[in-house]
mmCIF file of all heavy atoms in Angstrom:
data_model
loop_
_atom_site.group_PDB
_atom_site.id
_atom_site.type_symbol
_atom_site.label_atom_id
_atom_site.label_comp_id
_atom_site.label_asym_id
_atom_site.label_seq_id
_atom_site.Cartn_x
_atom_site.Cartn_y
_atom_site.Cartn_z
ATOM 1 N N TYR A 87 92.442 94.821 120.821
ATOM 2 C CA TYR A 87 92.730 93.392 120.707
ATOM 3 C C TYR A 87 92.874 93.007 119.239
ATOM 4 O O TYR A 87 92.137 93.476 118.382
ATOM 5 C CB TYR A 87 91.597 92.563 121.329
ATOM 6 C CG TYR A 87 91.324 92.932 122.763
ATOM 7 C CD1 TYR A 87 90.275 93.797 123.091
ATOM 8 C CD2 TYR A 87 92.108 92.439 123.795
ATOM 9 C CE1 TYR A 87 90.025 94.147 124.408
ATOM 10 C CE2 TYR A 87 91.866 92.790 125.117
ATOM 11 C CZ TYR A 87 90.818 93.645 125.414
ATOM 12 O OH TYR A 87 90.571 94.000 126.717
ATOM 13 N N ASP A 88 93.826 92.116 118.961
ATOM 14 C CA ASP A 88 93.977 91.653 117.587
ATOM 15 C C ASP A 88 94.256 90.157 117.529
ATOM 16 O O ASP A 88 95.012 89.686 116.683
ATOM 17 C CB ASP A 88 95.060 92.440 116.859
ATOM 18 C CG ASP A 88 96.427 92.327 117.527
ATOM 19 O OD1 ASP A 88 96.519 91.631 118.560
ATOM 20 O OD2 ASP A 88 97.383 92.928 117.020
ATOM 21 N N ALA A 89 93.633 89.405 118.429
ATOM 22 C CA ALA A 89 93.774 87.952 118.409
ATOM 23 C C ALA A 89 93.256 87.422 117.077
ATOM 24 O O ALA A 89 92.203 87.852 116.605
ATOM 25 C CB ALA A 89 92.991 87.324 119.564
ATOM 26 N N PRO A 90 93.977 86.488 116.445
ATOM 27 C CA PRO A 90 93.572 86.013 115.120
ATOM 28 C C PRO A 90 92.139 85.516 115.039
ATOM 29 O O PRO A 90 91.438 85.794 114.066
ATOM 30 C CB PRO A 90 94.573 84.883 114.845
ATOM 31 C CG PRO A 90 95.781 85.251 115.642
ATOM 32 C CD PRO A 90 95.254 85.909 116.886
ATOM 33 N N ASP A 91 91.690 84.776 116.043
ATOM 34 C CA ASP A 91 90.326 84.256 116.004
ATOM 35 C C ASP A 91 89.304 85.387 116.011
ATOM 36 O O ASP A 91 88.267 85.306 115.337
ATOM 37 C CB ASP A 91 90.067 83.329 117.192
ATOM 38 C CG ASP A 91 90.822 82.007 117.074
ATOM 39 O OD1 ASP A 91 91.318 81.713 115.963
ATOM 40 O OD2 ASP A 91 90.915 81.286 118.082
ATOM 41 N N LEU A 92 89.596 86.454 116.768
ATOM 42 C CA LEU A 92 88.683 87.586 116.825
ATOM 43 C C LEU A 92 88.675 88.328 115.497
ATOM 44 O O LEU A 92 87.611 88.707 114.983
ATOM 45 C CB LEU A 92 89.092 88.537 117.954
ATOM 46 C CG LEU A 92 88.138 89.688 118.256
ATOM 47 C CD1 LEU A 92 86.762 89.177 118.646
ATOM 48 C CD2 LEU A 92 88.715 90.573 119.362
ATOM 49 N N VAL A 93 89.865 88.542 114.924
ATOM 50 C CA VAL A 93 89.946 89.184 113.619
ATOM 51 C C VAL A 93 89.128 88.407 112.599
ATOM 52 O O VAL A 93 88.322 88.974 111.845
ATOM 53 C CB VAL A 93 91.412 89.290 113.148
ATOM 54 C CG1 VAL A 93 91.486 89.811 111.718
ATOM 55 C CG2 VAL A 93 92.214 90.199 114.082
ATOM 56 N N GLN A 94 89.297 87.098 112.565
ATOM 57 C CA GLN A 94 88.591 86.278 111.586
ATOM 58 C C GLN A 94 87.086 86.307 111.813
ATOM 59 O O GLN A 94 86.300 86.326 110.844
ATOM 60 C CB GLN A 94 89.091 84.834 111.649
ATOM 61 C CG GLN A 94 88.561 83.958 110.519
ATOM 62 C CD GLN A 94 88.949 84.487 109.159
ATOM 63 O OE1 GLN A 94 90.127 84.689 108.889
ATOM 64 N NE2 GLN A 94 87.983 84.719 108.289
ATOM 65 N N ALA A 95 86.663 86.322 113.072
ATOM 66 C CA ALA A 95 85.233 86.367 113.359
ATOM 67 C C ALA A 95 84.592 87.630 112.794
ATOM 68 O O ALA A 95 83.494 87.590 112.223
ATOM 69 C CB ALA A 95 84.997 86.286 114.868
ATOM 70 N N PHE A 96 85.275 88.754 112.939
ATOM 71 C CA PHE A 96 84.735 90.002 112.392
ATOM 72 C C PHE A 96 84.771 89.996 110.865
ATOM 73 O O PHE A 96 83.834 90.501 110.225
ATOM 74 C CB PHE A 96 85.511 91.196 112.943
ATOM 75 C CG PHE A 96 85.083 91.594 114.326
ATOM 76 C CD1 PHE A 96 85.948 91.442 115.403
ATOM 77 C CD2 PHE A 96 83.829 92.119 114.563
ATOM 78 C CE1 PHE A 96 85.565 91.807 116.677
ATOM 79 C CE2 PHE A 96 83.429 92.484 115.833
ATOM 80 C CZ PHE A 96 84.298 92.328 116.905
ATOM 81 N N LEU A 97 85.826 89.462 110.284
ATOM 82 C CA LEU A 97 85.875 89.380 108.825
ATOM 83 C C LEU A 97 84.742 88.515 108.296
ATOM 84 O O LEU A 97 84.130 88.831 107.262
ATOM 85 C CB LEU A 97 87.225 88.825 108.371
ATOM 86 C CG LEU A 97 88.442 89.718 108.620
ATOM 87 C CD1 LEU A 97 89.714 89.005 108.183
ATOM 88 C CD2 LEU A 97 88.312 91.041 107.897
ATOM 89 N N ASP A 98 84.439 87.435 108.995
ATOM 90 C CA ASP A 98 83.338 86.562 108.584
ATOM 91 C C ASP A 98 81.994 87.285 108.637
ATOM 92 O O ASP A 98 81.070 86.946 107.890
ATOM 93 C CB ASP A 98 83.291 85.316 109.471
ATOM 94 C CG ASP A 98 84.453 84.363 109.222
ATOM 95 O OD1 ASP A 98 85.109 84.501 108.172
ATOM 96 O OD2 ASP A 98 84.717 83.505 110.091
ATOM 97 N N LEU A 99 81.889 88.291 109.511
ATOM 98 C CA LEU A 99 80.654 89.077 109.604
ATOM 99 C C LEU A 99 80.619 90.213 108.583
ATOM 100 O O LEU A 99 79.636 90.947 108.510
ATOM 101 C CB LEU A 99 80.504 89.654 111.022
ATOM 102 C CG LEU A 99 80.061 88.673 112.107
ATOM 103 C CD1 LEU A 99 80.171 89.326 113.486
ATOM 104 C CD2 LEU A 99 78.622 88.205 111.864
ATOM 105 N N GLY A 100 81.696 90.353 107.825
ATOM 106 C CA GLY A 100 81.692 91.336 106.749
ATOM 107 C C GLY A 100 82.008 92.756 107.145
ATOM 108 O O GLY A 100 81.554 93.697 106.478
ATOM 109 N N VAL A 101 82.787 92.965 108.225
ATOM 110 C CA VAL A 101 83.123 94.335 108.615
ATOM 111 C C VAL A 101 83.964 94.999 107.528
ATOM 112 O O VAL A 101 84.677 94.337 106.771
ATOM 113 C CB VAL A 101 83.872 94.385 109.966
ATOM 114 C CG1 VAL A 101 83.017 93.783 111.069
ATOM 115 C CG2 VAL A 101 85.227 93.704 109.878
#
Side-chain angles (χ1 to χ4, degrees):
Y87 304 98
D88 59 0
D91 289 346
L92 187 59
V93 173
Q94 189 59 55
F96 280 113
L97 292 177
D98 290 344
L99 284 171
V101 300

